Amino acid sequence: MKLTRTKQYELPFAVLGLATTPDGANAYAACMDGSVHAVEMATGKKEVFEKKHSSYASGCVLLPDGKTLISAGYDGTLLWHDVATRKCIREVKAHSFWSWQMALSPDGRRVASVTGQYIAGGWKYEPAAESEPSVRVYDTASGALVASYSHTPPVLSCAFSPDSKHLAAANMMGEVRVWDVQAKGDKPVSQWTSPDFTSWGTTKSHHYSGGIYGLVFSPDGNALLGCGMGPMGDPMAGNGKMTWQRWDWRSGKKIDQIKDGQHGSGLMETLAFHPDGKHFLMAGRQAQGTWNAAVFSATDGSLITSWDSKSRLTHGRFTADGKSLVASVITGAGKVKPGQPWGAMGRVQMYSVEG
């Protein structure tokens, strides 16, 4: 498999969230100034949605009919936007803290958002208990709250199963929980902990860091993949092992993980399956090594291809035909002279996929 960048469009602010139409013709970018932008991928034409979040816009999802976009932000708010008019049609206060990540059920009926602040709960610096439900699920048609689930904060990632019946969420401590969204109550149907995504600082500062930043179910619904960064002694360095693991989510048993020698160091934050179900993408930011984005075999976990995008790749979305990948990017501002504005730090990219 070979991926080649074919298009790149600048946005004024770094991009934290990405949604796309199935054909990749249009992309929607949630940016660090709180704005959400629509990008026409053939021409690069850009339009900004009318209402901004009051803090970082952390994510966005597009409903299956293509008419409504829902965004989330560090203001703890979910905004419903009319795609045609770019106007906000609903605002829901989901959390008192940040929305770290959001996920849309494949049937388009539910949207989930996860939150939580890391506050030391004891002398061992273990996270304090949540002050509000860390996982909330809303009806996309009405905006009504349909479920609240407890987890240990901060909860950094979430994903729905292909049949829309289950929701998984993972936190900084490598704890994964899965709920049946059709059942009453908030007891998870499965939960487990992987110690391979969390660090305890032994130099400079002493606290936990890391976590599972990306989650995705396999297309057949039997496995769950998570990605992040392996342990490191200096939590400020950001140079832990790039890592992913795959689990049988019903039992929590680890099936596979990234192979030794196939990784560098840095935080991996996005996962996406190719439509063929035989490959998946993992990407993020590089600290050391030769790549920050790679495609792996879904059969045996081997590395198929990798590349260095020279910037932080926050999300990747394959088109329905599998021939293209749309990515959101954060790049450095470069040298900024005193009194001069920073350069554009956001990018939306398209890659062709061959083989």
Side-chain angles (χ1 to χ4, degrees):
M1 181 177 286
K2 180 181 179 182
L3 284 84
T4 304
R5 197 177 77 192
T6 58
K7 297 180 185 296
Q8 176 171 271
Y9 303 117
E10 288 188 353
L11 289 170
F13 300 96
V15 183
L16 291 176
L18 178 71
T20 61
T21 53
D23 60 3
N26 295 285
Y28 303 93
C31 298
M32 287 180 70
D33 72 328
S35 64
V36 180
H37 296 253
V39 182
E40 191 177 89
M41 294 305 294
T43 65
K45 178 183 176 182
K46 297 180 282 286
E47 291 185 8
V48 64
F49 283 80
E50 181 181 71
K51 188 171 180 62
K52 294 172 60 174
H53 289 270
S54 60
S55 186
Y56 294 177
S58 56
C60 57
V61 294
L62 182 68
L63 298 194
D65 63 7
K67 297 179 180 180
T68 304
L69 185 84
I70 305 174
S71 62
Y74 280 14
D75 55 5
T77 300
L78 303 184
L79 300 178
W80 274 249
H81 309 267
D82 182 278
V83 170
T85 65
R86 313 296 192 213
K87 294 183 181 297
C88 181
I89 55 178
R90 181 181 294 116
E91 180 174 344
V92 173
K93 184 65 174 177
H95 315 291
S96 61
F97 193 66
W98 303 347
S99 170
W100 283 100
Q101 195 174 104
M102 64 190 311
L104 179 70
S105 62
D107 63 11
R109 296 178 57 198
R110 301 285 185 265
V111 62
S113 176
V114 295
T115 189
Q117 184 178 12
Y118 174 31
I119 299 174
W123 67 273
K124 292 183 179 181
Y125 284 77
E126 68 278 10
E130 61 189 5
S131 59
E132 60 177 323
S134 296
V135 183
R136 283 187 164 137
V137 183
Y138 293 86
D139 182 274
T140 58
S142 67
L145 177 68
V146 295
S148 294
Y149 301 122
S150 296
H151 209 326
T152 303
V155 181
L156 305 173
S157 57
C158 57
F160 279 96
S161 61
D163 61 7
S164 300
K165 294 181 180 179
H166 292 90
L167 173 68
N171 69 2
M172 180 183 71
M173 303 302 287
E175 299 168 349
V176 187
R177 299 182 186 181
V178 182
W179 296 271
D180 182 341
V181 296
Q182 298 178 330
K184 294 181 179 179
D186 67 351
K187 184 178 180 180
V189 296
S190 180
Q191 62 183 94
W192 66 93
T193 301
S194 171
D196 300 321
F197 294 89
T198 303
S199 298
W200 167 253
T202 57
T203 61
K204 295 182 183 176
S205 60
H206 303 294
H207 57 81
Y208 288 102
S209 64
I212 298 174
Y213 276 73
L215 283 175
V216 66
F217 281 87
S218 59
D220 63 10
N222 291 325
L224 182 69
L225 274 76
C227 71
M229 179 169 60
M232 54 187 172
D234 179 0
M236 300 301 179
N239 60 357
K241 171 185 174 182
M242 297 172 173
T243 194
W244 60 261
Q245 288 185 350
R246 174 167 43 190
W247 307 281
D248 176 335
W249 66 264
R250 293 177 177 86
S251 66
K253 180 181 178 181
K254 184 172 68 176
I255 301 171
D256 201 0
Q257 65 182 7
I258 195 168
K259 307 295 188 292
D260 288 340
Q262 294 188 347
H263 62 84
S265 60
L267 177 60
M268 297 288 98
E269 52 191 308
T270 186
L271 291 163
F273 267 92
H274 188 272
D276 67 6
K278 300 177 181 178
H279 305 87
F280 65 88
L281 167 83
M282 180 175 75
R285 38 190 149 158
Q286 179 195 113
Q288 297 168 345
T290 59
W291 60 267
N292 73 307
V295 175
F296 296 84
S297 166
T299 302
D300 61 12
S302 60
L303 179 67
I304 302 298
T305 187
S306 63
W307 69 98
D308 181 4
S309 72
K310 307 298 182 184
S311 52
R312 175 184 168 189
L313 201 157
T314 55
H315 289 281
R317 303 279 186 260
F318 287 103
T319 53
D321 62 9
K323 295 181 179 179
S324 299
L325 172 75
V326 181
S328 58
V329 170
I330 299 175
T331 187
K335 293 183 178 180
V336 180
K337 295 181 179 179
Q340 297 296 313
W342 284 23
M345 295 178 64
R347 304 284 189 275
V348 177
Q349 300 173 339
M350 178 168 277
Y351 293 81
S352 64
V353 181
E354 302 175 18

